[in-house]
Amino acid sequence: MTDVRRAHERFRGGDPAAGIESRHAFSFGPHYDPDHLRFGAVIACNEERLAPGAGFDEHPHSHTEIVTWVVEGELTHRDSTGHETLVRPGDLQRLSAASGVRHVERNAGPGPLTFLQMWLAPLEPGGDPSYEVVRGLADSTPYALPEAGAVLHVRRLAQGERTTLPDAAHVYAHVVRGEVLLDGTRLGPGDAARLTDPEGAGAVAATASELLVWEMRGG
């Protein structure tokens, strides 16, 4: 079964007056959508656009695996465990909030910042917070997130190139840029597909494309 969620269907949040524009694919904060609470381990998939100087002041998280993918610009991250980093396009950032952590996210650069942030529910609550940045994550290199029973695949496709999606209980595919045909359905930037027990599903790039694919086990 495949459920497509279009970019324009995302709930608009953030604070445009403060230079923050957000698009939520799932229930988030004051936005409650009973039909979009969770898919597999994914509990949030937010597209964030920050103007220069804008950002999220220090705020807490707990019992959440937070994975961030920068599309354009530079993200400045600082957290209560002492990490302060710049995250750029092609880098993958993971913050395991575990029993609790606080962090700041800001666009300290001169140009606009766009990033995708995905929250996953851990298999077990608690533990100690941890943080990691993978610089320049290579195409088709799987990034395992065992804490959530999930694996992230980055697929960068040339026009006409095909990729096979993982066989898993749940697969979440998000188009970062370009256009793909996923089993005949055209998806553009910001569109996402939720696949349940796919078998032999694949995507073909209608244009040069970048696709993020979560592979998640049952549960």
Side-chain angles (χ1 to χ4, degrees):
M1 184 180 69
T2 302
D3 177 27
V4 173
R5 181 78 163 175
R6 298 293 182 182
H8 70 268
E9 296 174 326
R10 289 170 172 261
F11 174 74
R12 295 191 175 193
D15 184 356
I20 302 172
E21 295 186 10
S22 304
R23 300 289 186 273
H24 304 298
F26 294 85
S27 288
F28 193 88
H31 168 58
Y32 176 70
D33 185 344
D35 295 325
H36 299 283
L37 296 175
R38 174 174 177 169
F39 181 75
V42 178
I43 55 178
C45 181
N46 305 331
E47 288 186 342
E48 306 286 1
R49 292 175 170 85
L50 303 184
F56 301 100
D57 293 333
E58 187 174 85
H59 56 281
H61 291 284
S62 62
H63 314 303
T64 311
E65 298 294 319
I66 302 172
V67 175
T68 304
W69 185 259
V70 174
V71 179
E72 176 190 20
E74 293 183 344
L75 171 66
T76 296
H77 164 95
R78 185 173 69 252
D79 64 47
S80 55
T81 64
H83 298 99
E84 184 167 356
T85 54
L86 276 180
V87 187
R88 301 179 175 90
D91 298 341
L92 182 141
Q93 175 184 258
R94 176 191 57 83
L95 176 64
S96 291
S99 57
V101 69
R102 302 181 67 86
H103 75 154
V104 176
E105 297 165 298
R106 186 161 298 280
N107 180 6
L113 166 65
T114 302
F115 63 93
L116 185 71
Q117 190 166 91
M118 298 156 287
W119 296 13
L120 287 82
L123 297 175
E124 300 290 341
D128 296 323
S130 62
Y131 179 80
E132 179 181 28
V133 174
V134 179
R135 300 293 185 188
L137 186 65
D139 183 41
S140 298
T141 299
Y143 179 82
L145 192 64
E147 294 85 352
V151 177
L152 179 66
H153 304 267
V154 180
R155 305 285 171 83
R156 301 179 182 94
L157 305 174
Q159 184 175 7
E161 188 177 356
R162 175 182 172 84
T163 185
T164 300
L165 300 181
D167 288 331
H170 300 96
V171 174
Y172 187 83
H174 177 95
V175 180
V176 176
R177 63 184 93 241
E179 294 186 346
V180 303
L181 295 173
L182 195 152
D183 281 355
T185 300
R186 184 176 289 265
L187 303 178
D191 291 347
R194 308 170 192 184
L195 297 91
T196 303
D197 293 320
E199 213 172 294
V204 178
T207 66
S209 305
E210 184 174 83
L211 190 64
L212 299 182
V213 180
W214 280 107
E215 171 188 355
M216 296 169 281
R217 69 193 200 194

